[in-house]
Amino acid sequence: MRYLMMSKASDTAPDEKLYTEMAAFIEEMTAAGILLATGGLEPGGVRVTSSGDEITVTDGPFTEAKEAVVGFALVEVRSKEEAIELARRFRRIVGDGESVIQQVFGP
């Protein structure tokens, strides 16, 4: 099962300990074959909407900074519970904040 794990912005400033712990966590997941992709996201983005024949392109940002998704990890695990445990470990490393987990369907 694949899950997209997204992290929202927080007020916590990263420090050297966070970078070290996160590097070890990413290395562990990569070695176990769990981590498929990870990355940060630009704060703005572009929204493309359609209505009939009309296509509208709007530059972001679209939400308050604290509501925006700033990073993601795509993981392949055996169960939803395993994805939740990975998210718990991530939150323990980065501290206060919010993450969202969604199952990814398809090949």
Side-chain angles (χ1 to χ4, degrees), residues 1 3 5 11 18 20-21 37 39 42-43 52 54-55 59 65 67-69 71 74 81 85 87-88 92 95 107:
M1 303 172 109
Y3 286 89
M5 306 171 74
D11 296 332
L18 180 136
T20 302
E21 289 179 7
E42 70 164 312
E54 185 177 333
I55 306 293
D59 290 329
E67 295 296 320
V69 173
L74 180 62
E81 292 73 26
E85 184 53 36
R88 288 177 188 273
R92 284 186 193 109

Side-chain angles (χ1 to χ4, degrees), residues 44-82:
V46 176
R47 177 180 291 147
V48 181
T49 58
S50 60
S51 178
D53 291 335
E54 185 177 333
I55 306 293
T56 304
V57 178
T58 309
D59 290 329
F62 306 105
T63 60
E64 292 186 36
K66 67 181 179 182
E67 295 296 320
V69 173
V70 296
F72 74 94
L74 180 62
V75 298
E76 188 155 4
V77 294
R78 293 179 297 270
S79 66
K80 181 179 180 180
E81 292 73 26
E82 189 174 348

